[in-house]
């Protein structure tokens, strides 16, 4: 944490020095002070908080269905061995498709609306998450499954008490990858698919700043992106990771 | 580790500062255009080599960019001398302090808000949940729609909540598939949509209250000051191209049909029968400045005389 802080201060100092040197036009490279000012302004008008909320709401709204779908797919593949190669092939085919490439097709099929962004985020989370869960399930020791069977555990008990805990490290890795994919997908989808009057998330916020040549605002938007990414990584994932490491080192 | 990191960052910044581009070299002109019928004189100018004719030995670099924001960024990066665009996005950049001015008009053409035939009789008929596609906020299409709205409802932002930013071809698809109820667009998309049986609810001229220049050529002050001969040569080459379009119909049509991948009959119809006007006058600049200042798009006081050469 301390190192990160020092690094940040150093970057800010360099930034200010570079700005004062006047090598770049302020339209390309505004001063940190100006960026901070425009950030504060956008916070006050409510434009920025609304955009952040919009993006986070989209992510939450698409993350949960994507998780459920991925678990379902992985469980079906695990439970019914014949289904596994099919699911595997499907993910190999679809996973490399960038969500943005699907945007025009999705509009043609389902019409316009915020659901387009949700679908793109689901697509970008579902496959990496499924791949991780699948490999997690495959690595569950056979003995554990046999024990579960001998003790006549129900399907649900087997799933929640054996499969999930045994493959938690992979599932957790999938969550982390899924989050970063979702974050990227939501920002890029918002940048392309914008509603002009009624808010459209952080991606649209940045794009709008670009259109109106508000360079400090653009820098501000990118800084907020970094900040949120960092906050989720630090607050959410690292604390969970510490706890898991603790549990798994005991076993 | 820490010091190494800082050192690394410093070094990369210094390197980065070092590649600040050399801003335009002598005898070279770099021009950006966008896609559409409104840019036809530029296609002719390239194809017929008019610039080489008027300027002699000159290195010409043409760039086609997808939108005005990209042109502005390329200019800022020192990669362009002249760009072609609508007047409102030019004014937004001028307002933010970009050192460029209008050098010439290029075209006037019919723009308009296209809606399904018979659906609405005026802008106030458009329901609150209807969606309208147009290229982007602050584009000439957006400004024209705001002008029409101000005239009819008194509120230029009345439909802002209904707007969706889409490129022209996507907007056309959305309109034809019924995903949006209106599309504010320009030729050839406007013509194609009319042929599909859609109506123009408000035309650009009605919105503006008179004729206006759709696309203008904008030059950087640096280029204007450093390369006065080349600047003049470019404008007279443009004159030649515009004259060529007027006088050599069949050759113009065959050149453009190939460029736009359209059949010659359609190109001829679009170019000569639908109200496209190619000339170098700049019209409507005053009205754009006035309206955009009033609605807050422009923050500084801008004089008409100070934004063109």
């Amino acid at each position: 944490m301390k190192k990160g802080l020092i690094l940040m201060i150093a970057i800010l100092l360099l930034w200010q020095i570079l700005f004062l040197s006047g090598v770049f036009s302020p339209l390309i490279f505004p001063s940190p002070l100006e960026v901070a000012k425009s950030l504060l302004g956008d916070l006050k008008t409510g434009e920025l908080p609304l955009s952040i909320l919009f993006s986070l709401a989209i992510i939450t709204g698409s993350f949960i269905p994507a998780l459920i779908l991925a678990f379902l797919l992985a469980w079906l593949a695990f439970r019914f061995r014949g289904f596994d190669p099919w699911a595997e092939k499907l993910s190999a085919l679809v996973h490399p498709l960038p969500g943005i490439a699907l945007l025009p097709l999705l509009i043609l099929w389902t019409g316009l609306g915020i659901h387009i962004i949700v679908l793109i985020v689901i697509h970008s989370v579902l496959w990496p998450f499924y791949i991780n869960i699948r490999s997690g399930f495959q690595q569950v020791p056979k003995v554990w499954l046999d024990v579960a069977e001998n003790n006549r555990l129900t399907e649900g008990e087997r799933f929640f008490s054996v499969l999930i805990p045994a493959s938690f490290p992979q599932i957790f890795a999938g969550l982390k990858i899924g989050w970063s994919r979702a974050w990227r997908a939501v920002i890029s989808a918002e940048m392309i698919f914008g509603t002009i009057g009624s808010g459209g998330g952080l991606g649209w916020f940045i794009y709008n700043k670009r259109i109106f040549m508000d360079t400090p605002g653009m820098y501000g938007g990118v800084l907020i992106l970094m900040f949120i990414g960092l906050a989720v990584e630090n607050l959410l994932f690292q604390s969970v990771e510490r706890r898991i490491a603790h549990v798994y080192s005991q076993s | 580790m820490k010091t190494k990191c800082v050192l690394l960052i410093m070094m990369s910044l210094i390197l980065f500062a070092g590649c600040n581009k050399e801003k335009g070299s002598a005898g070279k002109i770099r021009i950006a255009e966008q896609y559409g019928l409104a840019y036809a004189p530029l296609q002719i100018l390239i194809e017929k080599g008019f610039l080489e004719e008027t300027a002699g030995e000159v290195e010409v670099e043409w760039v086609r960019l997808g939108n005005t924001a990209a042109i502005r960024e390329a200019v800022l990066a020192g990669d362009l001398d002249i760009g072609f665009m609508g007047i409102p996005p030019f004014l937004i950049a001028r307002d933010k302090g970009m050192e460029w001015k209008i050098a010439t008009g290029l075209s006037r053409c019919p723009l308009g808000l296209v809606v399904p035939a018979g659906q609405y009789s005026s802008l106030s008929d458009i329901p609150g949940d209807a969606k309208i596609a147009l290229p982007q906020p602050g584009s000439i299409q957006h400004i024209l729609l705001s002008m029409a709205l101000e005239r009819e409802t008194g509120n230029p932002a009345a439909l802002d909540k209904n707007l969706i930013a889409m490129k022209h071809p996507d907007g056309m698809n959305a309109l034809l598939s019924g995903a949006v109820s209106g599309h504010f667009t320009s030729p050839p998309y406007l013509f194609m949509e009319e042929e599909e049986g859609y109506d123009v609810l408000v035309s650009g001229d009605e919105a503006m209250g008179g004729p206006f220049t759709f696309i203008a050529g904008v030059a950087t002050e640096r280029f204007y000051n450093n390369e006065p001969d080349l600047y003049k040569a470019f404008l007279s080459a443009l004159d030649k191209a515009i004259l060529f379009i007027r006088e050599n119909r069949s050759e113009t049509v065959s050149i453009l049909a190939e460029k736009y991948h359209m059949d010659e009959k359609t190109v001829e119809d679009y170019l000569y029968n639908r109200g496209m006007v190619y000339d170098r006058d700049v019209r409507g600049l005053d009205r754009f400045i006035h309206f955009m200042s009033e609605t807050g798009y422009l923050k500084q006081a801008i004089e008409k005389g100070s934004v063109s050469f």
Side-chain angles (χ1 to χ4, degrees):
Chain A
M1 203 58 219
K2 215 172 148 200
K3 270 182 196 155
L5 206 67
I6 293 171
L7 194 64
M8 253 164 73
I9 291 170
I11 291 175
L12 276 178
L13 269 176
L14 265 173
W15 183 352
Q16 182 67 32
I17 291 169
L18 213 61
F19 172 76
L20 289 175
S21 76
V23 185
F24 299 105
S25 143
L27 283 177
I28 302 176
F29 199 75
S31 80
L33 209 69
E34 242 176 294
V35 173
K37 240 191 259 166
S38 103
L39 263 180
L40 268 179
D42 290 330
L43 277 172
K44 265 190 210 147
T45 59
E47 193 188 350
L48 189 56
L50 266 180
S51 303
I52 295 173
L53 273 180
F54 183 95
S55 295
L56 289 179
I58 293 244
I59 290 210
T60 324
S62 15
F63 215 72
I64 294 163
L67 293 195
I68 295 172
L69 276 173
F71 268 118
L72 199 68
L73 208 60
W75 179 77
L76 282 174
F78 179 77
R79 197 65 189 72
F80 307 100
R81 287 285 149 178
F83 179 65
D84 186 58
W86 294 100
E88 174 65 17
K89 282 282 164 319
L90 183 68
S91 87
L93 273 177
V94 189
H95 181 206
L97 278 180
I100 291 304
L102 296 175
L103 189 107
L105 281 182
L106 286 174
I107 291 179
L108 283 180
W109 292 340
T110 66
L112 282 172
I114 291 167
H115 68 273
I116 296 280
I117 306 180
V118 172
L119 288 175
I120 287 179
V121 178
I122 290 182
H123 164 80
S124 53
V125 177
L126 173 60
W127 305 108
F129 199 57
Y130 156 75
I131 290 169
N132 269 280
I133 303 176
R134 178 176 178 268
S135 81
F137 283 2
Q138 279 178 343
Q139 284 167 35
V140 177
K142 181 134 192 321
V143 188
W144 295 14
L145 297 169
D146 289 343
V147 170
E149 207 173 328
N150 288 343
N151 284 294
R152 302 191 175 216
L153 260 57
T154 63
E155 206 63 70
E157 283 168 337
R158 259 193 260 179
F159 184 73
F160 287 109
S161 318
V162 182
L163 274 181
I164 299 262
S167 49
F168 208 90
Q170 283 90 343
I171 292 176
F172 186 70
L175 271 176
K176 272 173 94 170
I177 297 172
W179 154 256
S180 66
R181 293 283 180 91
W183 190 230
R184 279 181 231 176
V186 78
I187 299 301
S188 37
E190 284 166 358
M191 285 185 104
I192 293 181
F193 180 79
T195 47
I196 291 171
S198 50
L202 209 44
W204 182 249
F205 175 87
I206 295 174
Y207 188 71
N208 217 20
K209 296 288 173 194
R210 176 190 182 208
I211 289 172
F212 288 108
M213 263 194 93
D214 180 354
T215 314
M218 226 161 70
Y219 275 73
V222 174
L223 282 181
I224 291 286
L225 276 188
M226 280 160 76
F227 179 76
I228 292 178
L230 214 71
V232 170
E233 171 73 29
N234 278 338
L235 297 181
L236 207 70
F237 288 124
Q238 276 185 14
S239 63
V240 175
E241 203 162 27
R242 239 172 276 138
R243 221 167 290 169
I244 300 178
H246 181 66
V247 171
Y248 278 81
S249 63
Q250 283 181 336
S251 64
Chain B
M1 191 58 208
K2 200 163 57 199
T3 25
K4 263 190 203 157
C5 263
V6 174
L7 264 176
L8 206 71
I9 288 162
M10 271 174 93
M11 285 207 351
S12 48
L13 281 177
I14 289 163
L15 275 175
F16 185 52
C19 37
N20 194 13
K21 291 203 183 72
E22 192 190 321
K23 313 272 180 187
S25 49
K28 188 177 179 191
I29 181 170
R30 299 156 307 171
I31 308 163
E33 54 154 343
Q34 302 177 62
Y35 185 80
L37 280 179
Y39 301 86
L42 298 176
Q43 303 296 332
I44 300 295
L45 190 154
I46 299 173
E47 198 62 24
K48 300 299 291 178
F50 286 142
L51 187 55
E52 289 78 357
E53 228 172 77
T54 55
E57 275 293 301
V58 60
E59 195 184 327
V60 195
E61 194 182 301
W62 290 91
V63 193
R64 176 174 286 172
L65 291 166
N67 59 51
T68 317
I71 293 183
R72 288 192 303 229
E73 283 148 14
V75 167
L76 279 177
D79 278 345
L80 281 179
D81 302 309
I82 296 180
F84 284 84
M85 66 197 75
I87 291 176
F90 154 74
L91 286 173
I92 287 170
R94 176 77 207 181
D95 183 56
K96 295 280 180 194
M98 252 181 93
E99 288 159 344
W100 64 359
K101 292 183 183 180
I102 294 180
T104 173
L106 183 70
S107 52
R108 303 203 294 276
C109 63
L111 304 188
L113 176 60
V114 185
V115 296
Q119 186 109 10
Y120 313 113
S121 57
S122 74
L123 283 174
S124 359
D125 286 353
I126 296 177
D129 60 344
K131 295 189 183 99
I132 294 170
L134 48 76
Q136 49 183 243
S139 62
I140 191 166
Q141 289 83 2
H142 185 202
I143 299 296
L144 287 170
L145 181 62
S146 305
M147 284 177 169
L149 283 167
E150 190 189 43
R151 179 160 306 151
E152 209 177 303
T153 68
N155 175 13
L159 284 177
D160 270 9
K161 292 233 176 307
N162 306 52
L163 301 183
I164 290 181
M166 293 179 109
K167 290 186 182 358
H168 292 297
D170 298 338
M172 184 168 85
N173 283 335
L175 182 71
L176 298 187
S177 70
V180 296
S181 335
H183 184 207
F184 209 115
T185 189
S186 48
Y189 306 98
L190 182 84
F191 301 154
M192 293 187 220
E193 287 166 7
E194 281 183 306
E195 275 155 25
E196 293 287 329
Y198 288 75
D199 279 349
V200 174
L201 183 62
V202 182
S203 77
D205 284 3
E206 284 162 13
M208 182 82 180
F212 60 93
T213 295
F214 173 44
I215 298 300
V218 177
T220 62
E221 287 174 23
R222 188 191 310 113
F223 179 72
Y224 178 79
N225 293 328
N226 295 353
E227 300 277 352
D229 296 338
L230 205 47
Y231 176 84
K232 280 187 206 116
F234 177 72
L235 291 185
S236 51
L238 199 54
D239 277 330
K240 279 191 168 186
I242 290 170
L243 199 65
F244 186 89
I245 293 182
R246 262 178 229 152
E247 291 179 345
N248 300 287
R249 256 186 157 181
S250 63
E251 202 183 336
T252 303
V253 167
S254 80
I255 290 174
L256 293 177
E258 206 192 314
K259 290 265 175 194
Y260 295 137
H261 307 292
M262 284 158 68
D263 66 272
E264 298 203 355
K265 234 188 185 154
T266 316
V267 171
E268 181 160 15
D269 181 37
Y270 283 3
L271 216 57
Y272 293 103
N273 303 334
R274 303 286 194 109
M276 303 287 301
V277 180
Y278 300 106
D279 70 25
R280 293 201 23 229
D281 291 346
V282 180
R283 304 218 189 169
L285 183 57
D286 243 353
R287 170 102 168 96
F288 277 123
I289 294 176
H290 187 73
F291 181 80
M292 289 175 69
S293 304
E294 234 175 28
T295 43
Y297 286 103
L298 306 178
K299 308 276 188 280
Q300 336 251 348
I302 292 182
E303 291 285 320
K304 182 186 170 188
S306 71
V307 296
S308 37
F309 287 119

